[in-house]
Each structure stands twice: as structure tokens, then as C-alpha cells.
């Protein structure tokens, strides 16, 4: 493994070595406390994420409910909701990145699994922890504000009136692509080798990506881009409307994450070209 070579043929300032791909099944992980600590971190982070963001959504709806003497122009607005989601992701990724990687989203975990950044065992248990954390987070909101929670939809995702299933699915695919693409770019070890400040700043672009996607897609689907977020809200709200088109909030994020993983690994990182080049070099020896 030599130095990383840029397109122009010049050597980078620092040595760079691609980390080995994570094994598909790593039984040794199951014997390590750090593995279970990471799962707990994902559970707690997703719980906190849903608790704060769903409270924000419900608070906004209650403050703008004119039937309850609310101000139609009051509350935090869509901009405030987007800030709540993006801000919480920034905070939680910053807090948990060194423990679990700060996924807090099954779509992110799925994309990193496809890129061989995490093992299958870790990916599955992360997703389970994230979904359970989301359910518990929404459960806390309902326990503290049951009447508001029921009256204002429990923060559940759903297609807005006037939008087709295809539009909703497309919005979720593109929105998740933006998020997962940002995750790959912000945590790329190749960039970390060149720029020491990148790991410190990684939570910031990820949080901003969530913020920007929410601004664009709240009017369409309420913004899922996180199957755990949509699932937790649907389970606790448990209304037929919450389950209508719920498949969009799983299919869209997983498709978007897969496209982002392929795009980053095989086009931007040119993993396929590197492998081919290595094969040719070996054949000529």
C-alpha cells in the first residue's frame, strides 16, 4: 500500500491506506463490550432524537391551531422544525460518533453496510436498537402529552394531500441520497488523511444535510429519510392513517442509501477502477 495518488499524478502530502472492509459476519464482536456499548448508544441517541423532534412538531401544530385560539403564523414554523431535526442530528452525531459511529438511522447503517464499513451483525443490531429507541422516544412524548399527541397526529409521516405515491417515494429516495452521500463524504478516511480537521467537522455537514432535506420535503411527506423515525411514530400513534403508504418510508430511504453508497464507492472513490488497476499491475509482474 503506497501513497494515495491524485488524478493529476501528484502524490498527496500524507500517506493514505484504505482500511480493510468489515467482515460480513464477525462473531468476535459479540464478545466485546464496545459492541454492546455502541448498540446502547444508538438506542439512546435515537430515543433522544425522536423525543425532541416529535415534541417540536406537536408543539408547532398546537401553537398554530386556530380552533384552540392559536396563532396561524405562530410557532417555530417549518424552518424551526427543520432546525430541530438537523440540530439534533448534529448534536447526537457529535456525541456518539466515537462510540457507535453516530448512525441514528437504519438507512445510514444500511448504506455503510453495503460499503463494507460495518458487519452484517452490527448492522442488524443497530437497526433494531434504532427502531426500539424511536418507539421509546415517541412513547415518552405520548406519556407526557397524551392529548396533544393524539390530537396533532403524533408526528407521524404521511403523504400530503395532492401528492402521488411516486412523488413521495422520489422525495424520500433523493432526500436520503443527500443525507447518506454527505455521511460518506464527511467521514471518508481518504479526506481524513489529508485534512485533520475533517473528523471534527463531520457532524456539522451531516446535520445541515438533514436540515436542508427537511426544508424541501416537509410539505410532501413530512420528511422521513429515517425508517426508525417513521416507524416509531407510526407504532405509538397507531392510527390507520399513519400506516397508509408507510412502505414509502422504508423503501425510499433504503433505495436512496444504496444509490449513495454505490455512487460514492464506485464513482467518486473509483473503487472498481482501483481494483482493476491493482489486478493489471499484479499481472504484469
Amino acid at each position: 500500500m503506497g501513497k494515495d495518488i491524485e488524478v493529476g499524478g501528484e502524490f498527496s502530502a500524507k500517506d493514505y491506506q484504505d482500511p480493510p472492509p468489515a467482515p460480513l459476519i464477525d462473531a468476535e464482536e459479540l464478545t466485546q463490550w464496545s459492541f454492546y456499548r455502541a448498540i446502547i448508544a444508538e438506542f439512546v441517541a435515537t430515543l433522544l432524537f425522536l423525543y425532541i423532534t416529535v415534541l417540536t412538531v406537536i408543539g408547532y401544530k398546537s401553537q398554530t391551531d386556530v380552533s384552540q385560539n392559536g396563532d396561524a403564523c405562530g410557532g417555530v414554523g417549518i424552518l424551526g422544525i427543520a432546525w430541530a431535526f438537523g440540530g439534533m442530528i448534529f448534536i447526537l452525531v457529535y456525541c456518539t460518533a466515537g462510540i457507535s459511529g453516530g448512525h441514528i438511522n437504519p438507512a445510514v447503517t444500511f448504506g455503510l453496510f453495503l460499503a463494507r464499513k460495518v458487519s452484517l451483525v452490527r448492522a442488524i443490531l443497530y437497526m433494531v436498537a434504532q427502531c426500539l429507541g424511536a418507539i421509546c422516544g415517541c412513547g415518552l412524548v405520548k406519556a407526557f402529552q397524551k392529548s396533544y399527541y393524539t390530537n396533532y397526529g403524533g408526528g407521524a409521516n404521511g403523504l400530503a394531500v395532492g401528492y402521488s405515491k411516486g412523488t413521495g417515494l422520489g422525495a424520500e429516495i433523493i432526500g436520503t441520497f443527500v443525507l447518506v452521500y454527505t455521511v460518506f463524504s464527511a467521514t471518508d478516511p481518504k479526506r481524513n488523511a489529508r485534512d485533520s480537521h475533517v473528523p471534527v467537522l463531520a457532524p456539522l455537514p451531516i446535520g445541515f444535510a438533514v436540515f436542508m432535506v427537511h426544508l424541501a420535503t416537509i410539505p410532501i411527506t413530512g420528511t422521513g429519510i429515517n425508517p426508525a423515525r417513521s416507524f416509531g411514530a407510526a407504532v405509538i400513534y397507531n392510527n390507520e392513517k399513519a400506516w397508509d403508504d408507510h412502505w414509502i418510508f422504508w423503501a425510499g430511504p433504503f433505495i436512496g442509501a444504496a444509490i449513495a453508497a454505490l455512487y460514492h464507492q464506485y464513482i467518486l472513490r473509483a473503487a472498481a477502477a482501483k481494483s482493476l488497476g491493482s489486478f493489471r499491475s499484479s499481472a504484469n509482474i
Side-chain angles (χ1 to χ4, degrees):
M1 300 284 184
K3 294 182 178 179
D4 183 53
I5 301 176
E6 301 296 333
V7 176
E10 298 180 357
F11 288 97
S12 63
K14 298 181 180 180
D15 289 335
Y16 168 71
Q17 191 173 17
D18 259 323
L24 184 63
I25 298 177
D26 187 1
E28 187 177 348
E29 282 186 319
L30 299 175
T31 65
Q32 299 172 346
W33 163 240
S34 60
F35 176 64
Y36 297 101
R37 183 179 62 184
I39 293 172
I40 294 170
E42 286 293 310
F43 170 83
V44 173
T46 314
L47 183 155
L48 295 174
F49 176 60
L50 267 293
Y51 175 73
I52 295 297
T53 55
V54 170
L55 269 180
T56 302
V57 171
I58 292 174
Y60 164 68
K61 290 184 176 180
S62 66
Q63 290 172 323
T64 56
D65 186 357
V66 293
S67 66
Q68 300 295 324
N69 298 320
D71 181 1
C73 298
V76 296
I78 290 179
L79 183 64
I81 293 173
W83 271 121
F85 278 89
M88 279 304 293
I89 287 296
F90 168 70
I91 292 168
L92 295 170
V93 170
Y94 178 83
C95 291
T96 60
I99 301 171
S100 66
H103 297 193
I104 320 171
N105 185 336
V108 171
T109 300
F110 180 65
L112 293 174
F113 166 70
L114 292 181
R116 300 293 301 276
K117 305 294 185 183
V118 296
S119 68
L120 178 62
V121 174
R122 184 178 291 264
I124 291 174
L125 291 181
Y126 270 24
M127 291 181 192
V128 171
Q130 291 156 0
C131 288
L132 291 176
I135 292 171
C136 292
C138 291
L140 285 177
V141 176
K142 185 175 182 178
F144 294 154
Q145 299 192 16
K146 186 173 182 179
S147 60
Y148 284 103
Y149 187 90
T150 303
N151 293 339
Y152 298 110
N157 291 122
L159 277 176
V161 176
Y163 291 98
S164 67
K165 291 180 175 61
T167 300
L169 180 62
E172 289 295 307
I173 290 173
I174 296 172
T176 311
F177 174 86
V178 171
L179 169 59
V180 178
Y181 171 42
T182 304
V183 170
F184 274 107
S185 298
T187 60
D188 189 342
K190 180 179 177 181
R191 295 187 62 194
N192 294 352
R194 291 199 306 259
D195 307 311
S196 60
H197 64 276
V198 168
V200 178
L201 295 178
L204 186 60
I206 295 171
F208 261 106
V210 172
F211 167 69
M212 297 303 294
V213 170
H214 274 75
L215 284 182
T217 58
I218 283 176
I220 303 174
T221 62
T223 308
I225 69 170
N226 184 334
R229 176 261 185 272
S230 302
F231 182 69
V235 168
I236 299 299
Y237 185 51
N238 198 27
N239 183 284
E240 184 177 350
K241 183 179 179 181
W243 294 109
D244 287 345
D245 306 316
H246 184 71
W247 63 273
I248 290 174
F249 301 102
W250 285 88
F254 274 43
I255 293 171
I259 296 172
L262 293 173
Y263 175 63
H264 185 268
Q265 292 297 104
Y266 292 97
I267 296 180
L268 297 187
R269 289 295 308 279
K274 287 182 179 180
S275 298
L276 181 60
S278 298
F279 173 78
R280 286 176 175 171
S281 298
S282 300
N284 291 330
I285 294 176

